Amino acid sequence: MGTYSAKPSEIDKKWILIDAENVVVGRLASFIANRLRGKHRPDYTPHVDCGDYVVVVNADKVRFTGRKLQNKIYYWHTGHPGGVKERTADKILGGRFPERVLEKAVERMLPRGPLGKRQLANLRVYPGPDHKQEAQQPEKLDVAALSPKNHNYRKAKAA
């Protein structure tokens, strides 16, 4: 009896839809990363892309805990000498591409290399409530209900 190793032709990928409204970014990103990698499946194989396709809507309404909205800084380099740039999380969420906060969080939880890029290509993030994957009939998952810290975070802390 040997160890089972799934082949790409044997993988049955599903489409799932996640509403990111009022969900904490880190918890949501780790859930999405596990789904993209396929670690929720009993036939998980580390070197094969066996994860699901994930569609995220309302990515501009995600939440940060504590003071991360003002204190979390995203850095990038322009490629020129002295070209290190920075922007806080609230400026990105209020900017032109607010979905990048969630995309970066998920990207940094996936493995680096060709497999990670292939798995990240299975992620679709939309800032508003509309998405283009209606034809795939994605199954809706309620991620906010998985952790009590995702909803009524401030109200539960005050009580």
Side-chain angles (χ1 to χ4, degrees):
M1 182 94 187
T3 303
Y4 174 75
S5 182
K7 296 172 187 62
S9 60
E10 298 171 349
I11 304 296
D12 181 35
K13 291 177 166 252
K14 287 195 246 176
W15 284 83
I16 62 171
L17 176 68
I18 297 174
D19 187 7
E21 188 170 1
N22 292 326
V23 180
V24 178
V25 173
R27 295 174 207 288
L28 179 61
S30 66
F31 180 82
I32 292 171
N34 277 336
R35 283 289 174 155
L36 288 173
R37 292 200 65 197
K39 294 189 99 174
H40 63 287
R41 301 169 58 106
D43 60 347
Y44 167 70
T45 306
H47 63 277
V48 176
D49 179 16
C50 55
D52 294 334
Y53 296 100
V54 179
V55 180
V56 182
V57 294
N58 291 324
D60 57 345
K61 295 182 178 93
V62 292
R63 267 204 350 248
F64 284 95
T65 57
R67 298 181 60 195
K68 292 188 195 99
L69 198 59
Q70 293 84 23
N71 293 348
K72 186 167 181 59
I73 298 174
Y74 292 89
Y75 295 98
W76 72 96
H77 199 284
T78 62
H80 295 283
V84 176
K85 303 280 184 173
E86 63 182 41
R87 192 169 291 151
T88 59
D90 62 340
K91 295 231 191 238
I92 293 176
L93 283 174
R96 190 169 163 203
F97 301 106
E99 66 273 10
R100 286 187 182 166
V101 168
L102 187 59
E103 286 173 356
K104 279 296 180 189
V106 173
E107 177 185 344
R108 292 169 179 168
M109 291 184 184
L110 291 176
R112 279 71 171 161
L115 180 62
K117 288 178 184 170
R118 207 170 324 128
Q119 290 169 342
L120 190 63
N122 297 333
L123 174 66
R124 314 292 198 285
V125 184
Y126 297 100
D130 302 324
H131 62 90
K132 299 176 185 173
Q133 277 71 35
E134 292 291 336
Q136 283 76 23
Q137 299 172 344
E139 173 190 336
K140 188 164 174 43
L141 284 178
D142 189 14
V143 178
L146 294 178
S147 174
K149 295 179 181 177
N150 281 330
H151 51 287
N152 297 331
Y153 181 76
R154 294 289 174 205
K155 292 176 189 173
K157 206 172 183 184

